[in-house]
Amino acid sequence: MPSLTALLAAAARASAASLSLQSVRRLSSSPLTRNAVHDRLKVLGDDAAKPTLDIDPFAKSARLGRPTSPHLTIYQPQLTWYISGAFRVTAAALAVGFYGIAAAYAVVPVTSTALVAAVHSLPPAIILLGKLALAAPISFHFFNGIRHLLWDTGSFLSLKGVYNTGYTVLALSAVTTIALALFL
């Protein structure tokens, strides 16, 4: 069993500096507490002497025999997952597309008439696929953004409301995507 001085030094190294010396002595005077502190310091090992940010959490978890987090593999996929993920992906894709096209248009010396002529020279099937590829993320992101604005007002926050608005977003996005691709 370590001495009181060794316990105090270890407690200080284990980031117990916020405790006063008297409270550490009071805690360490109890045999139960002394054993608990000793066991905890033994578990911490070399990490007890390190600042928190210097401890590698993955190595610590492996050393302590903690299981790897199962992440998404143990849960049943939900509509809310897919819509949330798609909302983030469409936001990133729209941002990259918008800024990428703007930057390319600023850098590449091409006129608008040349771009229009190039697009119209493509086969109709490719033009339709291009319209679908542009309309789908825009319409989905638009309607899901309205859904989020409705949530900000406190509406449709029940489980039934979340699913109903999710299905509504998917339906409106599909109809709008097809309408934009075919009639625009």
Side-chain angles (χ1 to χ4, degrees):
M1 187 63 59
S3 68
L4 179 59
T5 308
L7 281 174
L8 289 175
R13 285 193 313 268
S15 302
S18 63
L19 297 173
S20 68
L21 186 59
Q22 290 174 344
S23 61
V24 171
R25 283 186 181 147
R26 193 173 333 114
L27 284 172
S28 64
S29 64
S30 161
L32 181 62
T33 305
R34 199 171 29 239
N35 289 339
V37 168
H38 182 266
D39 292 344
R40 179 69 182 143
L41 290 174
K42 199 161 73 171
V43 166
L44 287 173
D46 294 335
D47 289 344
K50 295 179 184 175
T52 303
L53 295 177
D54 290 346
I55 298 171
D56 179 14
F58 301 109
K60 180 179 178 182
S61 293
R63 186 181 68 247
L64 295 175
R66 293 178 180 156
T68 304
S69 176
H71 194 50
L72 301 176
T73 57
I74 66 166
Y75 299 106
Q76 178 182 357
Q78 307 277 328
L79 172 73
T80 52
W81 290 12
Y82 291 120
I83 289 180
S84 176
F87 192 51
R88 294 163 197 251
V89 168
T90 57
L94 290 172
V96 167
F98 175 78
Y99 289 114
I101 289 171
Y105 196 71
V107 172
V108 177
V110 67
T111 64
S112 298
T113 54
L115 286 176
V116 171
V119 169
H120 281 290
S121 68
L122 296 172
I126 299 295
I127 292 175
L128 181 65
L129 287 175
K131 287 180 177 182
L132 286 170
L134 288 173
I138 291 170
S139 59
F140 172 78
H141 197 75
F142 174 77
F143 288 117
N144 204 45
I146 291 173
R147 178 183 184 217
H148 275 264
L149 289 174
L150 288 172
W151 286 350
D152 290 343
T153 67
S155 304
F156 306 107
L157 291 176
S158 67
L159 188 60
K160 183 178 179 184
V162 168
Y163 272 88
N164 285 342
T165 56
Y167 288 122
T168 303
V169 164
L170 292 176
L172 288 172
S173 298
V175 168
T176 306
T177 298
I178 292 169
L180 287 172
L182 293 178
F183 302 114
L184 194 61

